[in-house]
Amino acid sequence: WKHQYSQTQVKIIDLLQMIVPFIRRPCRIAFIISAWDVIMEANQLQPIKLTPAKWFATQVPLLHQFMLSNADSFMYDVFGVSAQGGSYKKDKVEQLYGLTSPSERVVVQYGNDLGKDITLPIKWLLNE
């Protein structure tokens, strides 16, 4: 066994457990799920509207449970972010290139809200 074979959620929990003794107040942590456009596209076949928080709870359940059970140390939220806004497959890339500005491609989902403000997780971290 080697530590590099551990799941990412286990590594994150290990890091968070190391800093718990040094936290004096709840520390804000933003989890960002990248390539959110891929997840959104795959979810269009599902009847349930997927949010980043629901995805987080089902796909990294150990980390989700850790964050819930350590609410006195950590305040967290989950964001879905797609910086490129879609697939670069031949049939879809022309649609992306048709946007006048690359910033128009950005997709940020927070809860049920979709937007284009890629700084939203940072604003949340800064409590703005």
Side-chain angles (χ1 to χ4, degrees):
W1 180 86
K2 293 183 180 179
H3 73 279
Q4 65 259 30
Y5 299 130
S6 295
Q7 285 191 15
T8 302
Q9 65 180 327
V10 173
K11 293 176 186 178
I12 293 170
I13 291 169
D14 189 37
L15 289 170
L16 293 173
Q17 285 177 327
M18 285 189 244
I19 67 169
V20 166
F22 304 104
I23 296 174
R24 297 192 191 276
R25 60 186 172 132
C27 176
R28 285 180 166 253
I29 297 178
F31 291 101
I32 299 173
I33 304 162
S34 63
W36 188 247
D37 58 293
V38 174
I39 296 169
M40 286 173 44
E41 186 175 321
N43 190 53
Q44 288 179 354
L45 304 174
Q46 304 293 328
I48 301 170
K49 180 161 173 87
L50 187 66
T51 65
K54 287 179 186 175
W55 183 94
F56 186 81
T58 59
Q59 298 301 313
V60 285
L62 183 63
L63 180 54
H64 179 251
Q65 182 181 11
F66 176 83
M67 296 308 293
L68 291 176
S69 63
N70 286 279
D72 55 330
S73 297
F74 303 107
M75 180 186 297
Y76 81 100
D77 222 327
V78 186
F79 300 83
V81 175
S82 172
Q84 71 184 36
S87 172
Y88 282 162
K89 293 178 184 175
K90 284 185 179 181
D91 59 333
K92 297 190 179 186
V93 75
E94 291 300 321
Q95 182 181 2
L96 290 176
Y97 288 151
L99 299 172
T100 56
S101 170
S103 63
E104 290 180 30
R105 298 183 200 172
V106 174
V107 175
V108 178
Q109 185 170 350
Y110 178 54
N112 288 319
D113 299 331
L114 280 174
K116 302 229 176 262
D117 185 2
I118 202 162
T119 65
L120 189 60
I122 295 169
K123 289 177 182 176
W124 182 86
L125 284 170
L126 296 173
N127 200 21
E128 293 183 359

